[in-house]
Amino acid sequence: NMMKQDILKKLSDDNNGYLFTAEVIRNGISKTYLAKFVKKNEYERVAHGIYAAPDIWPDELYLLQKTNPKVIFSGETALYIQGLTDREYRRIEVVVPRGYNAVHLRKKNIKVKSVKKELYELGKTVAESSYGNQIAVYDKERVICEAIIDRKKMDVQMFQTAVKEYMSDSNRKLQILVQYAEKLGVRDEVMKYVEVLA
């Protein structure tokens, strides 16, 4: 059946080489047909209900996001996604809303921070992973506030680079940075950096 095959190829192309069982079923294609297509075209099962085309590099952040839609990338992971550091993060860091059961994430050695609802949404945005997939991450302002909060735990070089990069970014939004700093209770600390660098 050409049509089913075409639908699967299109879904795969639209998702940068991934097929999601749930989406395939929504398009009226059975799991049995999907299994045949996957086998014939050498797709690899990369997560529960997710298959990747043979020619793509598995995008771990995107897969994590797809299997855990509530996670927002934060910390060093977000600094990297937002281009505020060129140093690859040592482990994935995410924020989840308070009450979210993150045991399975911690088992994967992911650093999880749970925060109250109003802070969870603060500065949430969408950016591209290194592989060009859309993922949820905090904006530069929130990421810089978080870096200032965690500066004692961070690598000094990485911290300084991030703040410098941010301050020299023509799209920086200092008013928003200060608003976030107030909500996160670090206005004075953040102002120190703004006054030195602005």
Side-chain angles (χ1 to χ4, degrees), residues 1 44 56 62 70 73 97 111 124 127 154 167 187:
N1 186 337
E44 189 193 338
I56 64 167
Y62 180 62
K70 283 244 191 317
F73 294 106
K111 192 172 168 190
K124 180 185 178 182
M154 268 178 84
M167 288 301 175
R187 192 199 153 104

Side-chain angles (χ1 to χ4, degrees), residues 155-173:
D155 176 82
V156 177
Q157 196 74 51
M158 192 183 221
F159 174 72
Q160 288 173 343
T161 304
V163 174
K164 259 188 240 149
E165 281 293 321
Y166 176 75
M167 288 301 175
S168 61
D169 182 348
S170 54
N171 295 320
R172 65 174 197 260
K173 305 179 186 83

Side-chain angles (χ1 to χ4, degrees), residues 132-171:
N133 296 303
Q134 301 281 305
I135 52 179
V137 62
Y138 285 117
D139 62 15
K140 291 182 177 183
E141 282 67 29
R142 168 86 186 243
V143 175
I144 288 296
C145 283
E146 297 277 357
I148 290 171
I149 293 170
D150 291 334
R151 65 191 180 279
K152 298 204 165 65
K153 292 179 237 163
M154 268 178 84
D155 176 82
V156 177
Q157 196 74 51
M158 192 183 221
F159 174 72
Q160 288 173 343
T161 304
V163 174
K164 259 188 240 149
E165 281 293 321
Y166 176 75
M167 288 301 175
S168 61
D169 182 348
S170 54
N171 295 320

Side-chain angles (χ1 to χ4, degrees), residues 119 122 141-142 144-151 167 173-196:
L119 295 182
L122 187 73
E141 282 67 29
R142 168 86 186 243
I144 288 296
C145 283
E146 297 277 357
I148 290 171
I149 293 170
D150 291 334
R151 65 191 180 279
M167 288 301 175
K173 305 179 186 83
L174 292 177
Q175 277 172 300
I176 291 180
L177 182 75
V178 174
Q179 277 172 24
Y180 288 178
E182 272 174 8
K183 287 187 177 154
L184 294 164
V186 283
R187 192 199 153 104
D188 295 349
E189 288 94 319
V190 169
M191 287 313 292
K192 270 182 226 153
Y193 291 94
V194 173
E195 283 153 14
V196 171

Side-chain angles (χ1 to χ4, degrees), residues 25-86:
I25 291 167
R26 271 203 306 277
N27 279 274
I29 293 167
S30 70
K31 279 186 180 176
T32 320
Y33 187 86
L34 171 63
K36 279 182 200 155
F37 177 89
V38 160
K39 197 173 173 182
K40 186 179 162 221
N41 295 285
E42 295 179 354
Y43 277 64
E44 189 193 338
R45 181 177 181 271
V46 286
H48 179 72
I50 304 181
Y51 299 90
D55 55 345
I56 64 167
W57 288 97
D59 182 342
E60 63 169 351
L61 298 182
Y62 180 62
L63 292 173
L64 185 68
Q65 177 85 78
K66 274 293 194 182
T67 46
N68 303 277
K70 283 244 191 317
V71 306
I72 301 175
F73 294 106
S74 63
E76 291 185 11
T77 313
L79 286 176
Y80 184 75
I81 295 166
Q82 290 289 12
L84 294 167
T85 176
D86 49 14

